[in-house]
Structures are given as structure tokens and as C-alpha cells.
Amino acid sequence: MKAEILKLLRECEDYISGERLSKEFGVSRTAIWKYIHQLKEEGYQIESVTRKGYRLIENADRITASEILSRNHAGWVGKEIEYYEVTDSTNQRIREFAEDGRANGLLAVTEEQTGGKGRRGRTWISPKGSGIWMSLLLRPELEPDQASMVTVVAAVALAKTMTKLTELDVKIKWPNDIVVNKKKVSGILTEMSADMDQIYYIIVGIGINVNTMQFPDEIKNIATSIAIEKGECISRAEFIAEFCAQFERYYEQFLEKGNLSFIQGEYESYLINIGREVKIIKNRKEMIRKAIGINELGELIVEDEDGKQEVVFSGEVSVRGIYDYV
Ligand code: BT5
């Protein structure tokens, strides 16, 4: 209800009377007043004027649960949202929620991470206020070796969302990076809890540089943001809501089919490495191969100079461009 009230206030530039809100939602004017009060406590500037009603004054780029829910579709991904001003890692928050039995589709988002994680112990830089740092809880009935396919599903959903909302030329660097203009704009970290033959839960962690304008020295040559590339800021809440809808659609198809054949072509249309030589780094050994595409398990198909093909798994290798990051 709070999210619905926020949605109405945002859509209406003029005042909305307490009476109209109470009729619209079928609750008392006192109840409306309480919700407005809660929104104010979340930091929204809402003006209340006698005999006129309420008006949302400033429309900042927030990602609170109410802000996202007021834009969300009616599905199950992101139906429940836990918001933090600051936390160490949203993947860590989701892990705890999962252990507490929280539902499939729960989303954790934060303004800032103090211990953002990349793969294999790497750091994900997550400054305050300008990015999307979020994690999703999934409880699929899949075999443990199918979990890495969820990263591919998330990558396509992310690329699709970004293309739709920004019109940038969005690319995927296999398996988990989203790249614009040869620089990394987003990364995915998929973790899971499983035993030999079943998955208990999967955590899909996503970091997106949205309105970030400057990066620290260690990543400034490889990182970029949507705002830098597009030349304007975009709404983070709208991005999250659109991603939830896109991810849900692709993920349900994936569960139905059990593999990635339905999405292979789309993934490859975003794949920046396709047809190019890449450096495969496996156990510190480097090999040069040509990237051909992905198979229905999400593994990268590469070819050596004699035309002999083999597949590489995301767990075992790093892929780099020959001269550059991509
Ligand atoms: C990733 O790892 O790209 C996965 C990133 C996942 C981050 C999300 S944020 C929400 C959730 N909570 C977490 O704690 N994590 C997830 P990897 O492929 O290993 O790439 C890591 C490398 O990317 C680093 O070693 C840096 O070189 C670079 N990097 C770090 N921060 C970056 C940033 N903000 N933008 C672009 N590149 C970055």
C-alpha cells in the first residue's frame, strides 16, 4: 500500500487529497496519514497542505523497497525487498535470509557495500549512492552442475534491460561481465549452497555502475558506468524493476527447458568475444583460441588454429582479450 501511494504521488504533479487517497485505497484518512509519515521517515519530502492534500516535492534517485515496489511488475522476483543504507555484501545478506527460510525471489539491495565481492575472492568496488548492488534468492529444483547456467540467464536479462532502458550498445563478456564501449559496467557473482545431488539455494549477486562518474585508480581503465556512456543519469529503481521482470521471464523458460538452448542465440548476439581470439587462462597457463559461441550448457566453445573445437567452463578459466580487457 505504501508503494502504491508513492506511485500515485509520483505520477501526480499536483496535490492529492487525503480523502481521494483514502477512497482509492479503501482505508481511513488516518491510515493514509500514517503511510505518508512512514514515507517521510524514509526520506521522501512530502508536502502536506490543509484542504489541498499531499504532494511529492523531490523525486530523488532512491532504491528503497517502497521505491522499487512502486514500479515493480506483479511477479515473484523482487516481490519482497530488503533495503540497506550500507551493508558488507548483499550476497551475504541473502545467504542469511536463505538460511532463515525466506522465499524464492527475495531481493536485497543496498546504497553501499563495504565488502563487495567478485569471483574467486576478488573485490567489487561498490561506492555509495550511484550504483545498483543487489542479490536475488532462488530456490530452484536443479542439479548442482546446472547452477552456472543461472549466470547466463541473468547476463541476458541484464543486457536486455540495459539495452531497453539506455539504448547503449551493450555486450556480454563471457561468462559474467556486461561491457559497454569495451569497459565493464556490470558483473555477476552467482553462489550456491548445495550438496552432491541437490541445490538448497542460489544467490545471484549483481553489481551495476549506474550513475557513477569516477572510479578509483585500480579500476579506472577497465570500468565505466551507464551515466558516463550515455551522458545522463537514469533511475536506478526503474532499472531494478525492469530487471526483475526480464529475469523472471527468462528464468521461468530456463526452468521449463532445463538448458539454455532457448537463449543461446540471444546470448551470442551480445557476446563481445564472438569470432575473436581470446586468451584462455587455465591453471596459470595461457592459450590463444578463437571464441565461437556458447553451447546449451552455457560453456564457451573455442577453436584452435587447426579448427579443433573444445569447451571451457566458467569455473576453470579466465578469458581475456589479446590486447585489452575484452
Ligand atoms: C564480478 O566478479 O564481476 C562479480 C561482481 C558482483 C558484484 C555484486 S554487487 C552485489 C553482490 N554482492 C557482492 O558482494 N557481490 C555482488 P569478477 O568477474 O571476479 O570481477 C571482479 C573484478 O572486476 C575486480 O577484480 C576488478 O578488476 C573489477 N571491478 C571491481 N569493482 C568494479 C566496478 N565497480 N566496476 C567495474 N569493475 C570492477
Side-chain angles (χ1 to χ4, degrees), residues 91-110:
N91 270 33
Q92 195 50 38
R93 294 288 75 70
I94 286 292
R95 184 177 294 281
E96 289 162 11
F97 286 131
E99 297 292 339
D100 284 348
R102 296 285 296 267
N104 190 33
L106 173 68
L107 189 73
V109 295
T110 186

PDB file of all heavy atoms in Angstrom, residues 91-110:
ATOM      1  N   ASN A  91      25.118 -10.323  -1.121  1.00  0.00           N
ATOM      2  CA  ASN A  91      25.149 -11.791  -1.228  1.00  0.00           C
ATOM      3  C   ASN A  91      25.150 -12.411   0.174  1.00  0.00           C
ATOM      4  O   ASN A  91      24.510 -13.426   0.417  1.00  0.00           O
ATOM      5  CB  ASN A  91      26.392 -12.259  -1.993  1.00  0.00           C
ATOM      6  CG  ASN A  91      26.140 -12.352  -3.489  1.00  0.00           C
ATOM      7  OD1 ASN A  91      25.367 -11.570  -4.035  1.00  0.00           O
ATOM      8  ND2 ASN A  91      26.785 -13.288  -4.159  1.00  0.00           N
ATOM      9  N   GLN A  92      25.869 -11.773   1.082  1.00  0.00           N
ATOM     10  CA  GLN A  92      25.941 -12.263   2.454  1.00  0.00           C
ATOM     11  C   GLN A  92      24.575 -12.128   3.140  1.00  0.00           C
ATOM     12  O   GLN A  92      24.124 -13.048   3.830  1.00  0.00           O
ATOM     13  CB  GLN A  92      27.016 -11.446   3.193  1.00  0.00           C
ATOM     14  CG  GLN A  92      27.474 -12.042   4.487  1.00  0.00           C
ATOM     15  CD  GLN A  92      27.867 -13.516   4.347  1.00  0.00           C
ATOM     16  OE1 GLN A  92      28.456 -13.929   3.349  1.00  0.00           O
ATOM     17  NE2 GLN A  92      27.488 -14.328   5.336  1.00  0.00           N
ATOM     18  N   ARG A  93      23.896 -11.005   2.901  1.00  0.00           N
ATOM     19  CA  ARG A  93      22.556 -10.813   3.499  1.00  0.00           C
ATOM     20  C   ARG A  93      21.606 -11.903   2.988  1.00  0.00           C
ATOM     21  O   ARG A  93      20.869 -12.500   3.745  1.00  0.00           O
ATOM     22  CB  ARG A  93      21.969  -9.441   3.138  1.00  0.00           C
ATOM     23  CG  ARG A  93      22.690  -8.220   3.701  1.00  0.00           C
ATOM     24  CD  ARG A  93      22.497  -8.033   5.204  1.00  0.00           C
ATOM     25  NE  ARG A  93      23.277  -8.974   5.982  1.00  0.00           N
ATOM     26  CZ  ARG A  93      24.611  -8.958   6.107  1.00  0.00           C
ATOM     27  NH1 ARG A  93      25.326  -8.018   5.517  1.00  0.00           N
ATOM     28  NH2 ARG A  93      25.255  -9.852   6.813  1.00  0.00           N
ATOM     29  N   ILE A  94      21.655 -12.157   1.674  1.00  0.00           N
ATOM     30  CA  ILE A  94      20.739 -13.162   1.106  1.00  0.00           C
ATOM     31  C   ILE A  94      21.077 -14.553   1.642  1.00  0.00           C
ATOM     32  O   ILE A  94      20.188 -15.355   1.909  1.00  0.00           O
ATOM     33  CB  ILE A  94      20.766 -13.121  -0.442  1.00  0.00           C
ATOM     34  CG1 ILE A  94      20.013 -11.878  -0.937  1.00  0.00           C
ATOM     35  CG2 ILE A  94      20.162 -14.378  -1.058  1.00  0.00           C
ATOM     36  CD1 ILE A  94      18.508 -11.875  -0.694  1.00  0.00           C
ATOM     37  N   ARG A  95      22.347 -14.820   1.843  1.00  0.00           N
ATOM     38  CA  ARG A  95      22.731 -16.131   2.399  1.00  0.00           C
ATOM     39  C   ARG A  95      22.061 -16.322   3.774  1.00  0.00           C
ATOM     40  O   ARG A  95      21.488 -17.367   4.061  1.00  0.00           O
ATOM     41  CB  ARG A  95      24.252 -16.220   2.530  1.00  0.00           C
ATOM     42  CG  ARG A  95      24.751 -17.571   3.008  1.00  0.00           C
ATOM     43  CD  ARG A  95      26.267 -17.614   3.045  1.00  0.00           C
ATOM     44  NE  ARG A  95      26.875 -17.528   1.721  1.00  0.00           N
ATOM     45  CZ  ARG A  95      26.975 -18.545   0.872  1.00  0.00           C
ATOM     46  NH1 ARG A  95      26.503 -19.726   1.215  1.00  0.00           N
ATOM     47  NH2 ARG A  95      27.529 -18.398  -0.296  1.00  0.00           N
ATOM     48  N   GLU A  96      22.104 -15.278   4.580  1.00  0.00           N
ATOM     49  CA  GLU A  96      21.478 -15.386   5.916  1.00  0.00           C
ATOM     50  C   GLU A  96      19.963 -15.533   5.807  1.00  0.00           C
ATOM     51  O   GLU A  96      19.353 -16.336   6.512  1.00  0.00           O
ATOM     52  CB  GLU A  96      21.847 -14.160   6.769  1.00  0.00           C
ATOM     53  CG  GLU A  96      23.303 -14.185   7.190  1.00  0.00           C
ATOM     54  CD  GLU A  96      23.831 -12.832   7.648  1.00  0.00           C
ATOM     55  OE1 GLU A  96      23.023 -11.885   7.857  1.00  0.00           O
ATOM     56  OE2 GLU A  96      25.058 -12.702   7.773  1.00  0.00           O
ATOM     57  N   PHE A  97      19.359 -14.746   4.914  1.00  0.00           N
ATOM     58  CA  PHE A  97      17.900 -14.864   4.726  1.00  0.00           C
ATOM     59  C   PHE A  97      17.533 -16.262   4.234  1.00  0.00           C
ATOM     60  O   PHE A  97      16.523 -16.822   4.632  1.00  0.00           O
ATOM     61  CB  PHE A  97      17.393 -13.829   3.726  1.00  0.00           C
ATOM     62  CG  PHE A  97      17.358 -12.429   4.268  1.00  0.00           C
ATOM     63  CD1 PHE A  97      17.899 -11.372   3.553  1.00  0.00           C
ATOM     64  CD2 PHE A  97      16.761 -12.162   5.491  1.00  0.00           C
ATOM     65  CE1 PHE A  97      17.867 -10.079   4.045  1.00  0.00           C
ATOM     66  CE2 PHE A  97      16.720 -10.874   5.995  1.00  0.00           C
ATOM     67  CZ  PHE A  97      17.271  -9.834   5.273  1.00  0.00           C
ATOM     68  N   ALA A  98      18.363 -16.807   3.343  1.00  0.00           N
ATOM     69  CA  ALA A  98      18.088 -18.145   2.813  1.00  0.00           C
ATOM     70  C   ALA A  98      18.117 -19.164   3.945  1.00  0.00           C
ATOM     71  O   ALA A  98      17.246 -20.028   4.041  1.00  0.00           O
ATOM     72  CB  ALA A  98      19.117 -18.499   1.739  1.00  0.00           C
ATOM     73  N   GLU A  99      19.116 -19.042   4.806  1.00  0.00           N
ATOM     74  CA  GLU A  99      19.232 -19.982   5.928  1.00  0.00           C
ATOM     75  C   GLU A  99      18.043 -19.828   6.881  1.00  0.00           C
ATOM     76  O   GLU A  99      17.646 -20.770   7.547  1.00  0.00           O
ATOM     77  CB  GLU A  99      20.555 -19.758   6.689  1.00  0.00           C
ATOM     78  CG  GLU A  99      21.813 -20.014   5.860  1.00  0.00           C
ATOM     79  CD  GLU A  99      22.020 -21.490   5.499  1.00  0.00           C
ATOM     80  OE1 GLU A  99      21.461 -22.356   6.189  1.00  0.00           O
ATOM     81  OE2 GLU A  99      22.735 -21.765   4.501  1.00  0.00           O
ATOM     82  N   ASP A 100      17.465 -18.617   6.916  1.00  0.00           N
ATOM     83  CA  ASP A 100      16.278 -18.380   7.759  1.00  0.00           C
ATOM     84  C   ASP A 100      14.983 -18.822   7.086  1.00  0.00           C
ATOM     85  O   ASP A 100      13.893 -18.564   7.603  1.00  0.00           O
ATOM     86  CB  ASP A 100      16.132 -16.873   8.071  1.00  0.00           C
ATOM     87  CG  ASP A 100      17.127 -16.433   9.115  1.00  0.00           C
ATOM     88  OD1 ASP A 100      17.751 -17.311   9.732  1.00  0.00           O
ATOM     89  OD2 ASP A 100      17.288 -15.214   9.298  1.00  0.00           O
ATOM     90  N   GLY A 101      15.093 -19.365   5.885  1.00  0.00           N
ATOM     91  CA  GLY A 101      13.897 -19.898   5.225  1.00  0.00           C
ATOM     92  C   GLY A 101      13.095 -18.890   4.416  1.00  0.00           C
ATOM     93  O   GLY A 101      11.943 -19.158   4.059  1.00  0.00           O
ATOM     94  N   ARG A 102      13.698 -17.736   4.078  1.00  0.00           N
ATOM     95  CA  ARG A 102      12.945 -16.747   3.283  1.00  0.00           C
ATOM     96  C   ARG A 102      12.671 -17.262   1.870  1.00  0.00           C
ATOM     97  O   ARG A 102      13.323 -18.163   1.388  1.00  0.00           O
ATOM     98  CB  ARG A 102      13.710 -15.415   3.221  1.00  0.00           C
ATOM     99  CG  ARG A 102      13.875 -14.746   4.569  1.00  0.00           C
ATOM    100  CD  ARG A 102      12.596 -14.108   5.063  1.00  0.00           C
ATOM    101  NE  ARG A 102      12.150 -13.011   4.210  1.00  0.00           N
ATOM    102  CZ  ARG A 102      12.466 -11.725   4.418  1.00  0.00           C
ATOM    103  NH1 ARG A 102      13.225 -11.386   5.435  1.00  0.00           N
ATOM    104  NH2 ARG A 102      11.996 -10.784   3.627  1.00  0.00           N
ATOM    105  N   ALA A 103      11.668 -16.608   1.220  1.00  0.00           N
ATOM    106  CA  ALA A 103      11.103 -17.167  -0.017  1.00  0.00           C
ATOM    107  C   ALA A 103      11.950 -16.911  -1.270  1.00  0.00           C
ATOM    108  O   ALA A 103      12.690 -15.919  -1.357  1.00  0.00           O
ATOM    109  CB  ALA A 103       9.712 -16.602  -0.230  1.00  0.00           C
ATOM    110  N   ASN A 104      11.778 -17.815  -2.224  1.00  0.00           N
ATOM    111  CA  ASN A 104      12.262 -17.677  -3.587  1.00  0.00           C
ATOM    112  C   ASN A 104      11.896 -16.286  -4.122  1.00  0.00           C
ATOM    113  O   ASN A 104      10.761 -15.859  -3.984  1.00  0.00           O
ATOM    114  CB  ASN A 104      11.500 -18.749  -4.397  1.00  0.00           C
ATOM    115  CG  ASN A 104      12.013 -18.950  -5.785  1.00  0.00           C
ATOM    116  OD1 ASN A 104      13.202 -18.821  -6.051  1.00  0.00           O
ATOM    117  ND2 ASN A 104      11.109 -19.316  -6.693  1.00  0.00           N
ATOM    118  N   GLY A 105      12.866 -15.591  -4.706  1.00  0.00           N
ATOM    119  CA  GLY A 105      12.548 -14.291  -5.310  1.00  0.00           C
ATOM    120  C   GLY A 105      12.866 -13.094  -4.425  1.00  0.00           C
ATOM    121  O   GLY A 105      12.766 -11.949  -4.859  1.00  0.00           O
ATOM    122  N   LEU A 106      13.278 -13.354  -3.175  1.00  0.00           N
ATOM    123  CA  LEU A 106      13.634 -12.239  -2.281  1.00  0.00           C
ATOM    124  C   LEU A 106      14.831 -11.471  -2.857  1.00  0.00           C
ATOM    125  O   LEU A 106      15.802 -12.073  -3.315  1.00  0.00           O
ATOM    126  CB  LEU A 106      13.996 -12.798  -0.893  1.00  0.00           C
ATOM    127  CG  LEU A 106      14.555 -11.788   0.115  1.00  0.00           C
ATOM    128  CD1 LEU A 106      13.478 -10.786   0.540  1.00  0.00           C
ATOM    129  CD2 LEU A 106      15.113 -12.506   1.350  1.00  0.00           C
ATOM    130  N   LEU A 107      14.745 -10.147  -2.795  1.00  0.00           N
ATOM    131  CA  LEU A 107      15.818  -9.302  -3.313  1.00  0.00           C
ATOM    132  C   LEU A 107      16.392  -8.457  -2.184  1.00  0.00           C
ATOM    133  O   LEU A 107      15.632  -7.908  -1.382  1.00  0.00           O
ATOM    134  CB  LEU A 107      15.232  -8.389  -4.394  1.00  0.00           C
ATOM    135  CG  LEU A 107      16.201  -7.554  -5.221  1.00  0.00           C
ATOM    136  CD1 LEU A 107      16.969  -8.434  -6.202  1.00  0.00           C
ATOM    137  CD2 LEU A 107      15.451  -6.474  -5.999  1.00  0.00           C
ATOM    138  N   ALA A 108      17.716  -8.373  -2.110  1.00  0.00           N
ATOM    139  CA  ALA A 108      18.359  -7.447  -1.164  1.00  0.00           C
ATOM    140  C   ALA A 108      19.070  -6.376  -1.977  1.00  0.00           C
ATOM    141  O   ALA A 108      19.776  -6.699  -2.939  1.00  0.00           O
ATOM    142  CB  ALA A 108      19.351  -8.188  -0.285  1.00  0.00           C
ATOM    143  N   VAL A 109      18.860  -5.108  -1.610  1.00  0.00           N
ATOM    144  CA  VAL A 109      19.555  -4.018  -2.315  1.00  0.00           C
ATOM    145  C   VAL A 109      20.182  -3.085  -1.288  1.00  0.00           C
ATOM    146  O   VAL A 109      19.693  -2.968  -0.172  1.00  0.00           O
ATOM    147  CB  VAL A 109      18.608  -3.167  -3.220  1.00  0.00           C
ATOM    148  CG1 VAL A 109      18.056  -3.978  -4.356  1.00  0.00           C
ATOM    149  CG2 VAL A 109      17.487  -2.543  -2.421  1.00  0.00           C
ATOM    150  N   THR A 110      21.269  -2.451  -1.698  1.00  0.00           N
ATOM    151  CA  THR A 110      21.910  -1.512  -0.783  1.00  0.00           C
ATOM    152  C   THR A 110      22.480  -0.320  -1.539  1.00  0.00           C
ATOM    153  O   THR A 110      22.788  -0.419  -2.728  1.00  0.00           O
ATOM    154  CB  THR A 110      23.023  -2.224   0.026  1.00  0.00           C
ATOM    155  OG1 THR A 110      23.540  -1.340   1.011  1.00  0.00           O
ATOM    156  CG2 THR A 110      24.171  -2.671  -0.867  1.00  0.00           C
TER     157      THR A 110
END
